Amino acid sequence: METNGDSRKAGRIRTAAHVGMRALVLVVVVPVGSIVLFALSLASIVLVPLGIGIVTTPLVLAAVRGFADWRRLMAARWGGVRIPPAYRPVPEGANPWARCFHLLGDPAVRRDLLWLPVDMTAGFVTALLPAALLLYPFEGFALAAGLWRAFTDGTEVGWWYGFVPIDGQSSALAAGALGAALFVVGVFTAPSLLRLHFLLTRSVLASGQGELAERVRVLTETRRDAVDTSAAELRRIERDLHDGAQARLVAMGMDLGTIEALIEKDPAKARQLIVQARRSSADALTELRDLVRGIHPPVLAERGLGDAVKALALRMPIPAEIDVSLSGRLGEPVEAAAYFAVSEVLTNAVKHSGAQRIWVDMHMHHIPKRGGLLRITVIDDGQGGATIGAGSGLSGVERRLGTFDGVLAVNSPVGGPTMVSMEIPCELS
């Protein structure tokens, strides 16, 4: 029977293995992404005076932001380090010149550009350390197991493992011992080293205004966005009622008045108007139901977020696979925000991506010292190119999630696929 000590050791090794794989992903992605995006950014900004950069710079900066948002998401998931985005919204209808210079003047965008060279150097090193401490020992183990014979016949040094010259079985065993020591160090230090990588990322990407001041600024913006969104929603409801159900009910009232006048003089005509009034009442009821569904879908109120998203997927014109794992109900405001966020992302995929299939993954996680976290990932196999910009549906999703301290990240290279990740701090009831 496994003791508590053995269980803790096994858990520590499993955690270290996960950290090693994550660090390895960062070692591959960090230099490639940072170097390419930094080079493209410099080239595009240099071309601004020639006019070419006016067109290319917003596109390149959108890619930089997508890369930074992905790292924010990984920092929260893998390191428990929260890096809130602080981008200034681009004015709707801005011309290319105004859009370009607005982005270049945004402090958050400038921090992104400053972060790229830091990421390709110090960021690469801090990602490499945990990966090396956990993977490099296996070379020592292989040498001790007999791999040394591939490099030397035992008469001369044929290989070096760290500071150990390999010239025979005894030195190979020393290399194995060094590998074991490095592995033990890696098991105990790799999680902290990976967190150090994300803390370095936060030190550059996070606003320098101070955590409290930044928090106040974000809350002010999200409150304003929430008020604006509520006002726009009220106007939409008023417009839909006036142009739809209200008009049909008025017409039905007029038909009933005519029926009352014709019921004795022309019964046949009165029956026709009764049929028409019944049809108008059915249409008005359908429009009212659609309107209520747009405000708060009944299935969401009755059965919760998971079933509501599954019902939403059934109405999609393309196949959608849903994987939901929620052991309870969320707060009503969070459920509504998550539902409409998923709805907007699915609608964008259907309208703009040309996707043939969509996958939705929705799970609840508990993060130490942070509490519950709802994670939603939507992937489609479309043509890609989705960005968070002025006037796009994803900008509205970002504002909606921001009200709850949520995070939105988009990874959508040209040619696809597109992956939209959302995280909302919350608790199950």
Side-chain angles (χ1 to χ4, degrees), residues 1 39 56 88 196 211 230 233 236 278 289 304 313 327 360 389:
M1 183 174 179
T56 60
R88 294 175 178 175
L196 177 64
E211 185 175 351
S230 298
E233 187 70 9
R236 182 189 69 82
R278 184 185 298 114
R289 285 173 175 169
S327 58
V360 180

Side-chain angles (χ1 to χ4, degrees), residues 293-316:
R293 187 179 294 113
I295 299 172
H296 194 81
V299 67
L300 180 62
E302 296 169 3
R303 305 186 62 179
L305 180 60
D307 287 338
V309 171
K310 291 177 181 178
L312 182 65
L314 291 175
R315 298 199 297 269
M316 293 291 106

Side-chain angles (χ1 to χ4, degrees), residues 92 105 234 271 336 400:
E92 293 188 17
L234 284 175
R271 281 193 295 271
R400 184 186 292 273

Side-chain angles (χ1 to χ4, degrees), residues 369-380:
K369 299 181 181 180
R370 293 181 58 199
L373 193 68
L374 175 65
R375 288 175 177 168
I376 306 172
T377 304
V378 182
I379 302 174
D380 69 66

